[in-house]
Amino acid sequence: MSADSSARAAPPADGDPRVAAARLFDQLERSPGIAKVAASLRALQSGREAIATVRQRIALIGTFTLDALRSAIDLQALRAGINAELFFAPYGQVEQQLLDPASELHRFKPDTVIVATRLMDVASAVYHSFNSLLPHDAVALVNDSVARMASALSAFRAHSTARLLIQNWELPARPALGIADASAAMSQIALIKRANDQLRTAIAQLPDAYIMDYDALVARGGRDGWTDPRTAYFARIPVAPAHYWTLAGFYVAHLRPLLGLSKKVLCLDADHTLWGGVVGDVGLEGIALGPDYPGNAFVAFQQRVLDLHRRGVLLALCSRNEPASVLAVLDRHPNMVLRREHFAALRINWEAKPANLQSIAAELNLGLDSFVFMDDSPVECELMRTTFPQVLAVALPSEPAAYPGVVDTLDCFDQWSFSDEDRRRGELYRAESQRRELQTVAMDLPTFYRQLQMTLTVAVDQPMHAARAAQLAARTNQFNMNTVRCSEDDIRRWMTSPDHHVVTAALADRFGDNGIIGLAVIHRGPTEWTLDMLLMSCRILGRTVEQSFVRWLAARAREAGALTLAARFAATPKNQPFAGFYESCGFARDGEADGAIRWTLPLASADTTTPDWMTIAREPCGSGGAQTRSAGVKA
């Protein structure tokens, strides 16, 4: 586990503000006091453009004073990669701000609105004089609160497309009936839980609106200490200052996946991380991994990591070690939870870890900012921050019993939904290794493509694919021509729109089913179809799938009578490698507007040939999988 040689190889920070930010964020995780948050924000102001590239106008409205959270939210947003412009409405103005189209909230034109209400602020008697209420009065208060909230949000939605993040309502630290509440016919806890169920149901009816489990956050923070009564009564700030950083992170964590900023890979060290001890010194039998302390702490840690893996997080191993020693543990140790097949990439050698992680990123075709690096060595973590500040480096504590808790607190892998592709992601990347091996022995690329035996299945306006399509839009950063983040509601709306098509593409080959890997959202005009969105998973790029997909779309546009297929390319730091994609498909540059390049393809002369190594199947809408096929033909 020596890190000395790699530490000597560390490049200088060169004043990169991202390095300073990574260090400050790491310090804040350990000691997030108000003064330190404010000082850190001031220190990073001049570099915020480099630290966070995603701009976002975020409004906060609430029944209590939220402005005290301004620095913490601004800094948590920077930590997540969001350069935020913030608006805080005066406390207690929730309905006024939502209902009035001329309100400050509407004039701010937010991208996101965080709605932070407390039931105890709008229905105080439910919390503070519950025992004086008749049952039907208590229920009426709750019903009225939910209805008013739903009505105000619906009215706002009629005038704004901003996404809505709404927190639910906290349970009291001590129910009004004391120990009798759990068995009471009219339970205060049960009433508020039912209110939360009603609120969740109401929010589910609104497009692009999401519920945040604030009650669970309060429970984790400790109900007794969550509120500071002095600031609550004096300044309408119920949340204790000690929790500002946590609450700000809670809000930002719910926004992060909607902006495509969630991490995708957890890269782990081996010695003192997956097990106790140095396997090269003590051997497979001597490492701490088993039913007793500290081995049981490492087992619990691995179980948490495996759970992440089953949520779709890729795992990688980066260890300075002899390969045979580590592989023996992965393959043969009876108490290992994580096995070789759980890792999408392995780097076990004596190279510096940043170089190995960079190599893994190249192998997986993912950006470095998709990675979390976890190691017991603070030196290795500091080396990683200094070399690649876009990688989130997490140093494990000295106490192994605290390891599982570190995994539990990671908020950077969260997604709003899960698909079959998520559950199979590790399997999909392992199949990639087999494809790369095939490519190394193939004589030329066409031979390699033919040996893959690829079938691309396209589906038009297939409702069953809406969730996966929205997930692709949220997660795809590289081959994403216009980088439009949209919700599942948006996808469903376009699917039923008379002037749009939503086309998904799934790929299978001899090594397995890749699932849905591509998405196009098309605006259909009488003479021109426009690719409002075109994106594809980076896993399958470079096999002519992207070109075949566009040719198929062009053929469909021509069949429908369109004369031109148009597209937009809006450059981001991540999609630059594909700036020439449309030109490579025969499109011609046709001006620039709103920060995007317009490309057009005259359909009369467009090449819509399907390569002979590609079979294209069509899944009719609602077919449940029935397909028509074409291969290697003029589409």
Side-chain angles (χ1 to χ4, degrees), residues 55-357:
R55 290 184 171 275
Q56 188 76 181
R57 295 167 67 84
I58 303 173
L60 292 99
I61 59 175
T63 56
F64 57 95
T65 301
L66 289 159
D67 201 50
L69 298 170
R70 182 182 291 271
S71 295
I73 290 176
D74 200 356
L75 198 58
Q76 283 280 18
L78 280 178
R79 173 176 166 266
I82 303 166
N83 190 354
E85 183 179 350
L86 299 174
F87 165 78
F88 290 81
Y91 85 89
Q93 297 288 308
V94 174
E95 289 177 287
Q96 297 91 325
Q97 295 288 336
L98 289 171
L99 290 168
D100 182 2
S103 69
E104 291 176 277
L105 171 66
H106 283 272
R107 293 202 301 274
F108 178 65
K109 299 186 183 305
D111 302 305
T112 298
V113 180
I114 294 172
V115 183
T117 65
R118 298 193 315 160
L119 186 60
M120 70 177 67
D121 292 331
V122 296
S124 172
V126 172
Y127 287 79
H128 302 309
S129 52
F130 179 79
N131 294 338
S132 301
L133 291 173
L134 294 173
H136 70 272
D137 289 334
V139 171
L141 273 174
V142 164
N143 291 345
D144 179 64
S145 299
V146 174
R148 287 173 59 187
M149 175 63 72
S151 176
L153 292 170
S154 296
F156 177 78
R157 174 55 75 233
H159 298 282
S160 173
T161 58
R163 68 179 61 83
L164 291 161
L165 300 177
I166 302 107
Q167 73 177 38
N168 67 3
W169 295 322
E170 68 200 275
L171 301 176
R174 289 174 175 75
L177 291 171
I179 61 173
D181 186 87
S183 55
M186 186 60 191
S187 158
Q188 185 187 30
I189 297 295
L191 180 68
I192 298 171
K193 284 183 176 178
R194 193 174 71 181
N196 278 334
D197 289 341
Q198 292 176 311
L199 184 64
R200 183 176 62 251
T201 301
I203 300 305
Q205 308 307 311
L206 290 171
D208 213 2
Y210 306 85
I211 196 81
M212 302 183 291
D213 195 353
Y214 177 75
D215 177 61
L217 176 73
V218 175
R220 288 194 297 275
R223 295 191 191 281
D224 276 336
W226 185 258
T227 296
D228 184 331
R230 295 168 303 171
T231 58
Y233 288 120
F234 182 73
R236 302 278 184 182
I237 307 172
V239 181
H243 299 299
Y244 286 2
W245 181 246
T246 301
L247 179 55
F250 168 80
Y251 290 145
V252 172
H254 286 79
L255 178 57
R256 189 175 197 158
L258 298 171
L259 299 178
L261 295 171
S262 293
K263 303 288 186 182
K264 299 175 180 175
V265 188
L266 176 59
C267 186
L268 294 156
D269 176 38
D271 289 336
H272 293 300
T273 297
L274 292 180
W275 53 77
V278 177
V279 67
D281 293 340
V282 301
L284 181 146
E285 297 80 7
I287 61 173
L289 189 68
D292 301 316
Y293 180 84
N296 53 3
F298 290 101
V299 170
F301 172 72
Q302 290 193 35
Q303 288 169 333
R304 297 290 207 288
V305 171
L306 182 60
D307 256 10
L308 273 184
H309 176 65
R310 288 177 173 155
R311 281 170 48 185
V313 176
L314 292 174
L315 303 181
L317 187 66
C318 184
S319 171
R320 290 167 58 80
N321 231 315
E322 287 299 321
S325 301
V326 174
L327 293 176
V329 180
L330 292 179
D331 294 340
R332 295 175 12 224
H333 197 289
N335 295 316
M336 277 295 289
V337 176
L338 297 171
R339 296 296 184 182
R340 194 193 300 216
E341 62 267 24
H342 293 125
F343 294 93
L346 300 169
R347 293 295 184 278
I348 308 167
N349 52 41
W350 297 99
E351 299 295 322
K353 290 188 177 180
N356 273 331
L357 191 139

Side-chain angles (χ1 to χ4, degrees), residues 604-620:
S605 57
D607 181 0
T608 55
T609 304
T610 302
D612 66 80
W613 51 76
M614 183 75 69
T615 297
I616 297 185
R618 169 81 182 267
E619 179 186 334

